[in-house]
Amino acid sequence: MNPPILPAFRLPSLRNFSAVPVILALLGILVVWSSWYTVPSDSVAIVQRFGKFQAEVQPGLHFKIPLGVDVATILPVKRQLKQEFGFYTEGATNVDQYSDDPTVESPMVTGDLNVALVEWVVQYRIAEPTNYLFAVREPGITLRNASESVMREVVGDRTVDEVLTIGRQEIEAEALVKLQQLATRYLMGVSIDQVQLKNINPPHPVQESFNEVNQAQQEKEKLINEARRDYNKVIPLAEGEKDQRIREAEGYRLKRVNEAAGDVARFNAVFTEYQKAPDITQRRLYLETMQAILPGVQNKIVVDEGMKNLLPLLNLNTSQNPPAEATP
């Protein structure tokens, strides 16, 4: 028995389908997709029509002629951008933030013909979008070249000690002014906010020796500061003691002068009274003198002029009994 014959299955022919609707649908999607764009709140868009500047568009949702007729370039004018020299930070979104080989940017020759490895950062904003796009070709690279040129000029005017120690702030301030002047002259359309030095080191072969020199200088400064501290502690104390001694001497001098003047005035007063009544004055002076002397005398013997004989009394127990007094 012969097997049953199955009906043959035929694939539909591609000739029955037309590619025009598919192409039109894809073209419509492309036109719709490329006819609108969004500008972030911290940016503006520069619209070019066939390459010619058309308008500067503010943040928001906008439409344009599709299929590459209008091209919108978004620039973050309200965001602070930065460029790094001599090093790089991982995950940077700005393509001009660091160069391909940062190690060639850091070596610089100082004014005393030494070499220093300088790392710095330039922070800037896009102030004039049209100049940033059209006045300078590749503005990010141009700004990097200008920054490196200015920094080498500023570092080349100073010694290696100034660059490594005390001259950092002056270098930053001078580089900021010169870089802004250069950006204005070249119509870069950027505003330089800050030039900040990061790490400044001597070359690696001499870094250990330079660190020893720095430690010696720091020890020298430490000893000088300690000597100044001791000087400021001792000298004012000596000055104070000197002033105190001088004031004491002045006070003693005034005291003696005043006492002498008082004695003279008292003597003159007594002499005046003596001239008026000599007998009374002599008796008063005698009594006053005795009143001052007798309280300090322990054994007192009062003798009358008319007394013929004097019998002294010897006190044998002087430690317990008070001294005897002989009376007429």
Side-chain angles (χ1 to χ4, degrees):
M1 181 176 180
N2 295 328
I5 300 174
L6 298 175
F9 177 77
R10 295 182 180 181
L11 295 175
S13 177
L14 295 177
R15 294 178 182 178
N16 297 328
F17 294 92
S18 175
V20 175
V22 177
I23 295 176
L24 292 178
L26 294 177
L27 184 60
I29 294 173
L30 180 62
V31 169
V32 173
W33 180 259
S34 61
S35 63
W36 64 276
Y37 61 96
T38 302
V39 181
S41 60
D42 61 348
S43 305
V44 296
I46 302 299
V47 179
Q48 298 172 254
R49 182 168 297 170
F50 295 112
K52 183 179 180 180
F53 172 74
Q54 187 68 22
E56 179 178 324
V57 181
Q58 298 302 317
L61 179 63
H62 303 277
F63 296 92
K64 62 179 181 178
I65 300 178
L67 300 178
V69 176
D70 286 353
V71 176
T73 304
I74 298 176
L75 298 176
V77 295
K78 296 181 181 179
R79 189 192 314 166
Q80 189 179 63
L81 307 176
K82 71 175 182 178
Q83 291 184 349
E84 300 171 341
F85 299 84
F87 70 103
Y88 68 95
T89 302
E90 300 242 347
T93 57
N94 185 9
V95 294
D96 298 321
Q97 183 165 327
Y98 57 88
S99 62
D100 296 334
D101 190 4
T103 57
V104 301
E105 298 172 338
S106 57
M108 295 187 182
V109 179
T110 59
D112 54 356
L113 301 182
N114 286 307
V115 178
L117 302 179
V118 182
E119 299 176 357
W120 75 99
V121 172
V122 175
Q123 296 179 349
Y124 66 98
R125 299 176 187 272
I126 300 176
E128 300 177 5
T130 54
N131 287 342
Y132 186 80
L133 281 181
F134 305 122
V136 179
R137 181 178 298 175
E138 295 181 349
I141 298 177
T142 303
L143 181 60
R144 291 193 65 88
N145 294 335
S147 302
E148 186 176 353
S149 175
V150 167
M151 185 59 68
R152 292 186 183 277
E153 177 186 356
V154 175
V155 171
D157 293 336
R158 287 165 174 79
T159 63
V160 66
D161 292 334
E162 293 177 341
V163 174
L164 293 172
T165 55
I166 61 175
R168 296 174 62 97
Q169 294 182 352
E170 295 181 358
I171 292 174
E172 292 174 349
E174 185 175 353
L176 175 62
V177 173
K178 290 188 175 182
L179 183 58
Q180 185 60 63
Q181 292 176 351
L182 200 60
T184 303
R185 184 187 309 170
Y186 288 166
L187 300 178
M188 294 184 188
V190 297
S191 174
I192 310 300
D193 292 339
Q194 186 180 17
V195 176
Q196 183 180 9
L197 293 176
K198 291 297 186 180
N199 297 324
I200 303 178
N201 298 309
H204 297 291
V206 298
Q207 190 168 2
E208 184 176 356
S209 300
F210 192 85
N211 291 335
E212 293 178 356
V213 173
N214 283 338
Q215 291 178 358
Q217 290 179 349
Q218 292 175 2
E219 187 68 22
K220 170 187 172 184
E221 294 295 332
K222 177 182 176 182
L223 295 176
I224 291 175
N225 292 333
E226 290 179 353
R228 289 177 178 172
R229 181 195 63 193
D230 295 338
Y231 173 86
N232 294 330
K233 180 179 179 181
V234 173
I235 296 301
L237 181 61
E239 293 288 342
E241 292 180 354
K242 180 193 74 171
D243 295 338
Q244 182 181 359
R245 296 291 179 86
I246 292 175
R247 287 193 296 268
E248 290 177 355
E250 291 290 337
Y252 181 73
R253 180 183 67 84
L254 293 175
K255 177 183 176 183
R256 294 302 302 271
V257 170
N258 293 333
E259 288 178 353
D263 293 340
V264 171
R266 186 172 61 253
F267 178 80
N268 291 332
V270 172
F271 181 69
T272 302
E273 296 298 327
Y274 175 77
Q275 289 178 343
K276 295 179 181 178
D279 295 336
I280 297 175
T281 304
Q282 287 180 2
R283 183 174 292 277
R284 183 172 63 82
L285 291 176
Y286 175 77
L287 293 176
E288 289 178 355
T289 303
M290 289 298 104
Q291 187 179 3
I293 294 175
L294 290 178
V297 178
Q298 294 181 355
N299 298 326
K300 304 179 183 65
I301 300 174
V302 180
V303 181
D304 191 4
E305 293 179 354
M307 185 177 181
K308 300 298 182 180
N309 294 321
L310 177 65
L311 179 62
L313 176 62
L314 179 61
N315 190 356
L316 298 177
N317 192 8
T318 56
S319 61
Q320 295 180 358
N321 298 325
E325 296 183 0
T327 56

